Amino acid sequence: LAAARPLTNETVFNLTELPRRLVVIGAGPIGCELAQAFRRLGSEVTLIASGPRPLPRDDAEAGDLLAARFRAEGMVLLTDSRLQQVTLDGPVRRLQLASAGTSRTVEADQILLATGRRPNIDSLNLAAVGVEFDPKEGVRVDDHLRTTHRRIFAAGDVCLHHQFTHAADFSARMVIQNALFHGRKRVSDLVIPWCTYTDPEIAHVGLNAAGAAGRGLTTTSFLRPFTDVDRARLNGETEGYVRILTQSGTDRILGATIVGSHAGDLISEICVAMAGGLGLGRLAGVIHPYPTLAEAIRQCGDAYNRTRLTPRAKWMLSAVLRWGR
């Protein structure tokens, strides 16, 4: 693989010619974004995913929807596949893959490697000052971003689970407050969204159903497909949905996924609600301009409020109305 000189998310932008055949190894956000971009520019693209679908950290439904879009656009998506070997024949790269007990060979003019990054800490000699680290996971920090040396803090991709520009930005702000002004800001209090800028966009914040179950939380899901949202129908962009997850029996928002046009913009409203402790029922009472895509969020709130009309509540309301007449 090293001899094939694969591209990365940094070096890919140095290309001066469009590769006729591009193989992308890794179906996370970077792999998906660049694979679709090159397909739309005209390359024959093969995307290799190690799991059953792209974007394994997001909702399975979102990953399946994106997989269908990729195949509809003419991309070859190989799931449950792992790279075994790369051989060179002049400018041609031949990739041998293992998938479900079988093997296949794919040829490419360029390879894009998008399987994650390692923390750049090898030259820092951290052990000499008592800062513990893991070669793959990075620097070990507590909830205040303090390392195992009490006077050294860390921020950004080198120590965070969420390796995003906006997460690095806010962790740096936190370090300034905690290190210089004796702040007590906690990473666990941050509400960190992320968005994959494919078409359709896929945005997420908080927990999904699997993550909530792992914490012993029972959940209720409220779904609004964009096929039922007037602005999406007017735009001709009905693919996707808004899904908001609450803790069962309450309107406490645990997380949300939005798939569709402008999902990265729409997720911010839910982030504000989560950061401010606003429940889904409160969002139902926020007037949204009509027609907008954001109405889907309010409509999820309406769906939650309808669950509050239990048979007992309905009987009591009927009794009050009868008495009032």
Side-chain angles (χ1 to χ4, degrees):
L1 180 61
R5 300 176 64 187
L7 301 165
T8 69
N9 65 305
E10 293 179 350
T11 60
V12 69
F13 297 103
N14 297 330
L15 287 175
T16 57
E17 294 182 3
L18 184 71
R20 184 172 68 85
R21 298 171 300 180
L22 176 70
V23 171
V24 180
I25 304 173
I30 290 175
C32 288
E33 290 168 350
L34 289 171
Q36 189 177 44
F38 273 89
R39 177 59 192 146
R40 291 186 171 190
L41 288 169
S43 295
E44 298 174 13
V45 175
T46 300
L47 178 61
I48 300 172
S50 60
R53 62 182 60 85
L55 301 181
R57 291 176 58 189
D58 288 276
D59 279 0
E61 186 177 347
D64 290 339
L65 190 153
L66 190 62
R69 170 65 73 89
F70 283 171
R71 291 184 171 116
E73 293 185 1
M75 191 186 305
V76 177
L77 174 60
L78 303 178
T79 58
D80 295 313
S81 300
R82 292 191 176 274
L83 179 65
Q84 299 295 304
Q85 186 179 13
V86 178
T87 57
L88 301 178
D89 183 6
V92 177
R93 284 87 163 159
R94 289 195 176 92
L95 295 84
Q96 183 177 335
L97 307 173
S99 178
T102 63
S103 62
R104 65 186 299 169
T105 300
V106 178
E107 293 188 350
D109 302 302
Q110 291 283 1
I111 299 171
L112 173 63
L113 193 60
T115 55
R117 306 296 290 267
R118 293 179 62 250
N120 187 16
I121 56 178
D122 294 344
S123 63
L124 296 183
N125 200 18
L126 296 176
V129 291
V131 174
E132 295 181 7
F133 64 93
D134 181 274
K136 292 184 178 180
E137 300 297 327
V139 178
R140 293 197 174 99
V141 293
D142 64 15
D143 205 21
H144 304 288
L145 293 179
R146 188 192 298 269
T147 71
T148 49
H149 187 296
R150 70 180 186 87
R151 301 189 67 179
I152 298 177
F153 290 73
D157 291 1
V158 76
C159 65
L160 294 179
H161 174 69
H162 293 99
Q163 296 183 345
F164 306 113
T165 301
H166 48 282
D169 175 11
F170 273 79
S171 69
R173 297 168 188 239
M174 183 177 294
V175 162
I176 291 171
Q177 295 177 65
N178 290 350
L180 302 182
F181 302 105
H182 306 289
R184 302 297 294 170
K185 299 290 186 180
R186 296 178 180 271
V187 175
S188 57
D189 291 334
L190 293 177
V191 177
I192 302 177
W194 68 83
C195 183
T196 302
Y197 298 99
T198 48
D199 181 11
E201 291 183 8
I202 298 176
H204 182 82
V205 65
L207 299 174
N208 57 20
R215 298 189 184 189
L217 299 173
T218 58
T219 60
T220 304
S221 175
F222 297 92
L223 177 72
R224 188 66 172 175
F226 281 120
T227 51
D228 296 336
V229 178
D230 289 351
R231 178 58 182 268
R233 296 171 67 180
L234 288 167
N235 291 350
E237 297 175 334
T238 57
E239 189 173 34
Y241 58 87
V242 173
R243 173 179 283 121
I244 301 178
L245 201 68
T246 64
Q247 188 169 352
S248 292
T250 76
D251 71 342
R252 179 191 171 205
I253 300 173
L254 298 177
T257 296
I258 301 178
V259 180
S261 178
H262 307 292
D265 296 310
L266 295 171
I267 200 74
S268 294
E269 179 177 348
I270 301 173
C271 295
V272 170
M274 293 177 66
L278 295 178
L280 183 55
R282 292 285 300 276
L283 290 182
V286 176
I287 300 175
H288 291 64
Y290 175 88
T292 59
L293 296 174
E295 272 200 304
I297 297 172
R298 181 190 59 75
Q299 291 164 357
C300 285
D302 289 340
Y304 164 76
N305 282 337
R306 284 193 291 272
T307 68
R308 301 169 65 186
L309 192 62
T310 63
R312 177 177 174 80
K314 186 176 180 180
W315 177 85
M316 293 179 64
L317 180 59
S318 298
V320 169
L321 293 175
R322 285 195 302 270
W323 177 81
R325 288 198 297 268

